Amino acid sequence: MSRTTLVVPAQHVGSLEVPSQALDDASPVVVWLNAPTDGFCGSGRMAVPLAARSVKSAGRFLLEFRLRPFIGWLVFAAYTVMSDGYMRGLLSSVPQVVLAAALGGWLTFASNRPRQLPYRTHVGDVVVPRVHADTARRWVESNPNVRTTDDPVARPQPPLFYAVWSTVLLLGSIGVGTYLANDGREQSLAIWVAVAAVFVSGVRTALKTLPLGYIRWEPGEQS
């Protein structure tokens, strides 16, 4: 299946005409999502059509929820705390099981999330990644200023943003790990898994300071 990336120039976002054809599979049976485009700090949204089955499997509310990226981390943090409490004999296994189920559900949602959700780059353009070629052609026909590209495009945030956050995550995880390793108490496996997860997140964030496409295996879409 041929796919491409749509780029909507910042000055033409307000006058965009969106065809009623699914971005993900070109189906005429669509559900219109009022998708956030500029992260949890902004207020921008764009109405985009996705296949009804895609929206059903991923959950419309979560797809339209602006704070969606935080949910997984919050559930993971709560699970870590509960697991640590259980391993130390301070809590029963019930909260741990409930949060494990919630975390599993979140991971299932993440794997089903359509990749065609739009995002605004740090230069103001709106990018819609991995669009079905037939749908992309209709967008360009309806909006001459919209272009398609198979080349990497700008990320949602400037490189400095990722540099700062990667530094915070990496130094924070290393600092916490060093402290825990030398405080004289045995730590639970859950705590070490959490520290490792933060470190890996820091590495991933650091890679985003590089231009998209600089590393061959990068997907070249919002992250």
Side-chain angles (χ1 to χ4, degrees):
M1 182 185 299
S2 179
R3 295 190 178 278
T4 188
T5 297
L6 289 169
V7 180
V8 184
Q11 63 270 31
H12 297 291
V13 172
S15 59
L16 189 67
E17 294 184 15
V18 181
S20 182
Q21 183 171 324
L23 293 168
D24 46 348
D25 66 0
S27 168
V29 182
V30 301
V31 172
W32 288 87
L33 288 182
N34 192 23
T37 57
D38 48 4
F40 54 87
C41 292
S43 59
R45 289 182 177 270
M46 176 184 286
V48 292
L50 290 172
R53 58 179 178 80
S54 299
V55 175
K56 182 178 180 180
S57 63
R60 179 169 186 164
F61 170 77
L62 289 175
L63 292 175
E64 294 183 336
F65 187 45
R66 187 174 296 279
L67 300 180
R68 182 185 66 246
F70 285 119
I71 296 177
W73 279 109
L74 289 175
V75 174
F76 177 70
Y79 175 75
T80 300
V81 172
M82 294 300 173
S83 296
D84 184 64
Y86 172 72
M87 292 179 180
R88 295 180 183 278
L90 302 176
L91 296 172
S92 70
S93 62
V94 175
Q96 182 185 6
V97 171
V98 172
L99 286 169
L103 186 60
W106 175 254
L107 292 175
T108 299
F109 158 76
S111 65
N112 291 333
R113 183 174 68 89
R115 304 306 177 202
Q116 293 75 25
L117 296 177
Y119 68 92
R120 189 181 297 274
T121 70
H122 65 273
V123 296
D125 297 339
V126 171
V127 174
V128 189
R130 296 186 57 79
V131 178
H132 193 285
D134 292 343
T135 302
R137 183 169 56 252
R138 287 195 58 187
W139 275 58
V140 174
E141 291 172 352
S142 302
N143 305 275
N145 294 301
V146 173
R147 64 182 176 89
T148 61
T149 181
D150 295 324
D151 297 325
V153 293
R155 293 188 183 276
Q157 303 294 340
L160 180 60
F161 174 90
Y162 298 111
V164 171
W165 272 108
S166 64
T167 301
V168 171
L169 292 171
L170 290 172
L171 292 182
S173 60
I174 292 172
V176 171
T178 302
Y179 171 78
L180 294 176
N182 293 280
D183 73 344
R185 295 185 300 174
E186 183 178 359
Q187 305 298 330
S188 68
L189 177 62
I191 294 297
W192 290 117
V193 170
V195 172
V198 174
F199 180 82
V200 171
S201 180
V203 172
R204 290 187 60 193
T205 305
L207 292 176
K208 294 176 184 177
T209 61
L210 302 174
L212 273 168
Y214 185 86
I215 297 178
R216 186 177 298 274
W217 47 262
E218 282 195 298
E221 60 187 58
Q222 181 184 12
S223 54

